[in-house]
């Protein structure tokens, strides 16, 4: 398993456990350390997993608002914990991550794979639908290689550009 895919899995499991406990009781760093030790003892570099978790938590309010706007028929508290945290990771990588390191289509595909691995029967389709909608809303960056990020402001509720 590639290091980045493994790091995403560890990040998702860590966010899941943290979210399950309502972000209380357990510190995210403790959860991450335990998950790395249990599920990825040979992980050469855990920086990617740490960066994902930090990025998701720093942008969680914006990300959750985007999920709510993109899937209005699914109130956030009704989205399964796995799907919610896979979406958070996918949206973070799609909108806030380093596009030169993780192209949008890779971010979407990785999120779909996490949903299929950890979620329910329809999780992959749900995650694909939500992230595909966001991808189209931001102008399908990278579709023809290159181009600046467009449309992120609309999703965040800031139409100033």
């Amino acid at each position: 398993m590639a290091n980045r895919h493994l790091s995403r899995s560890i990040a998702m499991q860590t966010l899941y456990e943290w979210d399950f406990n309502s972000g209380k009781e357990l510190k995210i760093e403790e959860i991450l350390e335990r998950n790395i030790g249990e599920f990825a003892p040979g992980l050469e570099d855990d920086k990617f997993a740490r960066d994902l978790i930090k990025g998701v938590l720093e942008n969680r309010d914006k990300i959750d608002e985007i999920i709510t706007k993109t899937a209005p028929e699914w109130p956030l508290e009704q989205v399964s914990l796995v799907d919610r945290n896979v979406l958070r990771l996918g949206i973070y990588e799609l909108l806030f991550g380093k596009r030169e390191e993780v192209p949008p289509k890779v971010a979407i595909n990785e999120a779909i794979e996490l949903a299929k691995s950890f979620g329910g029967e329809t999780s992959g389709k749900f995650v694909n639908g939500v992230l595909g909608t966001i991808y189209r809303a931001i102008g399908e960056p990278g579709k023809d290689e290159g181009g600046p990020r467009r449309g992120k402001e609309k999703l965040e509720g800031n139409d100033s550009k």
Side-chain angles (χ1 to χ4, degrees), residues 59-74:
N59 295 285
R60 190 172 60 122
D61 290 340
K62 292 176 198 170
I63 292 169
D64 287 354
E65 184 179 327
I66 291 167
I67 295 169
T68 301
K69 285 181 178 181
T70 308
E73 64 282 355
W74 286 96

Side-chain angles (χ1 to χ4, degrees), residues 18-154:
W18 181 82
D19 196 14
F20 181 82
N21 289 298
S22 304
K24 298 176 185 166
E25 296 179 27
L26 297 173
K27 293 182 180 177
I28 196 108
E29 275 294 318
E30 293 171 8
I31 300 169
L32 177 61
E33 292 298 329
R34 183 172 21 81
N35 285 341
I36 289 171
E38 185 173 341
F39 302 115
L43 186 65
E44 295 170 13
D45 183 11
D46 62 8
K47 183 179 181 336
F48 187 64
R50 291 179 189 285
D51 289 347
L52 286 174
I53 291 168
K54 180 181 178 194
V56 167
L57 294 180
E58 286 176 353
N59 295 285
R60 190 172 60 122
D61 290 340
K62 292 176 198 170
I63 292 169
D64 287 354
E65 184 179 327
I66 291 167
I67 295 169
T68 301
K69 285 181 178 181
T70 308
E73 64 282 355
W74 286 96
L76 195 59
E77 59 278 353
Q78 289 182 8
V79 175
S80 77
L81 281 170
V82 168
D83 293 355
R84 182 167 57 220
N85 286 291
V86 167
L87 283 171
R88 285 173 175 160
L89 280 169
I91 292 169
Y92 169 73
E93 285 198 275
L94 188 60
L95 298 179
F96 303 99
K98 297 176 183 171
R99 187 162 291 147
E100 61 278 1
E101 290 181 18
V102 181
K105 289 185 178 184
V106 171
I108 293 168
N109 287 336
E110 285 289 329
I112 293 167
E113 289 305 313
L114 286 174
K116 288 178 179 178
S117 295
F118 295 101
E121 191 174 306
T122 60
S123 293
K125 289 180 182 179
F126 178 66
V127 167
N128 185 30
V130 173
L131 294 181
T133 299
I134 293 168
Y135 178 67
R136 287 185 297 281
I138 62 172
E140 299 182 33
K143 180 179 179 182
D144 299 319
E145 280 301 311
R149 292 184 186 193
R150 298 183 331 255
K152 183 169 103 175
E153 296 80 18
K154 289 181 184 176

